[in-house]
Amino acid sequence: MRRGTPPLTVSDRAERTGNQLEWRIALSELDYGPEEYDAVRRVLDSRWLSMGPEVAAFEREFAAASGAAHALAVSNATAALHLALLALEVGPGDEVIQPALNFVAAANMTLAVGGTPVFADIASLHEPTIDPEHVSHLLSPRTKAVIVMHYGGYPGRMAPIVSACAARGIPVIEDACHAPLVTYEDPGRQPPHGRTVGTLGHVACFSFFGNKNLATGEGGMITTDDEAIAARLRALRSHGMTTLTWERHRGHASSYDVARPGYNCRLDELRAALGRVQLQRLPSGNARRRDCVRRYHRQLVDSPVTLPFAGWDRDFGGHLMPVLAANADHRARIASALRDERIQSSLHYPAIPTFAAYRSYAGTAWPLSHDFADRVVTLPLHARLSDSDVDAVATVVKRVEA
Ligand SMILES: *Cc1c(COP(=O)(O)O)cnc(C)c1O
């Protein structure tokens, strides 16, 4: 802003920034208070910026909260998925079964390690997580891992997938980005019933991107109960080196070896300190998100949209608030009516086989994922959303006829 320019009002800003609309109700918002500012200041005062005591404490606290034996902080969830696939020795010729309806990171990282993504459809439009029956059907001697993504914060159907994979010695990876601290409750009380997301398979990957339930900007976490996998991950995270700068700084080590080439996927102290505060806020943030989802569901019953997960009576993380329009045209009109009211909406997700980079997968083998992707609108949902915000959004959605 030029000196002497008066502060802009909200409507000024919307005009002056052109496309960059100033949302009245944003899709997601940070839940930050003075504690986050204090945490960052504490790190700046300490003069140690990466992989030090804050990262160690964040890992300890995250592991304790989710009940995992090991938690390793990393730079983002894409790096977490990359390292998880490498630690499980996925490579050329190996197939990784995963949802067609997902953020593209898991598929991209499968290709990055030389593996082949094998896409499975969602269980239903009502429960758009990976279909265990389709997974069973796709299991082959080349299957090296199965990835489950807990869409919107609702745990996938882990019990049948874990048991089918255990019978063949195939590891399960949780893409747990939407569901930190959510308890898996199996309708038939089959294992891993009662366990926390992050401990339901062999390795789990979390994201702390700015729009996630626990937000540090960039950042991620890998959890596992497997000591050998944890050791491999630890080395892969930092150049394959056998000791850390922090350990050498503390005099606990003086040199290092490189047993296998690695990467740099480390997390810094600033983000770890933010993550520790955000972890404290997570239970109440998730609870507020669940309340908002229930309110949306009450307001939108008998509306022209259908509600995935309506009537869900188990734990969930409330990361996304998806509704299904009658068709793509209805969806476009809902999005545009919301935009006219300066309410932000989005679309989670386009089906991966429709992307140009995944053209060789184009086809009709994922009818439910395609149908869902053509009709889904995601509505604003975050821990700072008020009841009247929910009502305002629902009012707009209800008024758009199918
Ligand atoms: C956000 C997200 C990712 C990627 O996370 P980054 O930390 O941005 O790399 C992967 N999978 C899902 C399901 C996500 O929501």
Side-chain angles (χ1 to χ4, degrees), residues 76-78 81 102-103 105 149 175 177-178 207-209 212 218-219 349:
N76 55 64
T78 306
L81 288 159
N102 190 3
F103 183 62
M149 195 272 283
D175 183 337
C177 294
H178 297 183
S207 173
F208 308 138
F209 186 64
K212 298 296 184 345
E218 298 290 346
Y349 294 95

Side-chain angles (χ1 to χ4, degrees), residues 6-171:
L8 302 183
T9 63
V10 168
S11 57
D12 275 346
R13 276 208 296 271
E15 256 170 49
R16 292 193 200 187
T17 53
N19 282 338
Q20 274 269 317
L21 274 178
E22 194 69 30
W23 301 109
R24 184 161 64 88
I25 305 177
L27 192 66
S28 90
E29 246 178 55
L30 288 176
D31 186 18
Y32 272 23
E35 295 83 357
E36 276 80 359
Y37 290 80
D38 291 345
V40 169
R41 198 173 299 277
R42 179 174 79 230
V43 173
L44 294 177
D45 288 346
S46 80
R47 326 288 299 162
W48 189 272
L49 293 181
S50 189
M51 291 292 292
E54 296 287 344
V55 168
F58 185 31
E59 292 179 337
R60 256 192 333 267
E61 289 158 9
F62 196 90
S66 48
H70 307 277
L72 281 96
V74 289
S75 43
N76 55 64
T78 306
L81 288 159
H82 189 194
L83 298 192
L85 292 165
L86 288 169
L88 294 171
E89 327 252 52
V90 176
D94 295 333
E95 297 179 347
V96 180
I97 300 173
Q98 52 192 290
L101 187 83
N102 190 3
F103 183 62
V104 73
N108 281 348
M109 291 306 100
T110 304
L111 292 177
V113 300
T116 305
V118 173
F119 296 109
D121 208 354
I122 51 177
S124 68
L125 294 178
H126 179 71
E127 195 177 339
T129 49
I130 195 167
D131 177 12
E133 281 179 31
H134 199 187
V135 171
S136 287
H137 185 71
L138 293 170
L139 286 170
S140 87
R142 288 160 31 126
T143 307
K144 189 78 178 207
V146 172
I147 301 178
V148 176
M149 195 272 283
H150 307 303
Y151 180 97
Y154 300 85
R157 296 185 181 178
M158 293 301 289
I161 293 172
V162 164
S163 98
C165 288
R168 295 167 177 248
I170 295 168

Side-chain angles (χ1 to χ4, degrees), residues 210-261:
N211 61 8
K212 298 296 184 345
N213 292 27
L214 187 169
T216 65
E218 298 290 346
M221 193 73 79
I222 316 179
T223 53
T224 182
D225 282 345
D226 187 314
E227 176 70 53
I229 291 177
R232 252 179 265 155
L233 288 167
R234 201 166 284 122
L236 285 167
R237 172 176 63 176
S238 194
H239 307 289
M241 289 160 64
T242 52
T243 65
L244 290 176
T245 316
W246 175 249
E247 292 161 340
R248 295 192 294 280
H249 172 73
R250 306 276 291 187
H252 296 325
S254 55
S255 186
Y256 59 86
D257 191 17
V258 174
R260 172 186 174 180

Side-chain angles (χ1 to χ4, degrees), residues 318-353:
H319 177 60
L320 297 176
M321 177 57 221
V323 301
L324 291 182
N327 50 49
D329 171 67
H330 183 215
R331 189 251 301 272
R333 284 183 286 112
I334 292 172
S336 128
L338 289 167
R339 169 175 281 266
D340 288 346
E341 297 289 335
R342 289 187 296 123
I343 297 169
Q344 190 180 18
S345 68
S346 187
L347 188 180
H348 294 81
Y349 294 95
I352 295 171

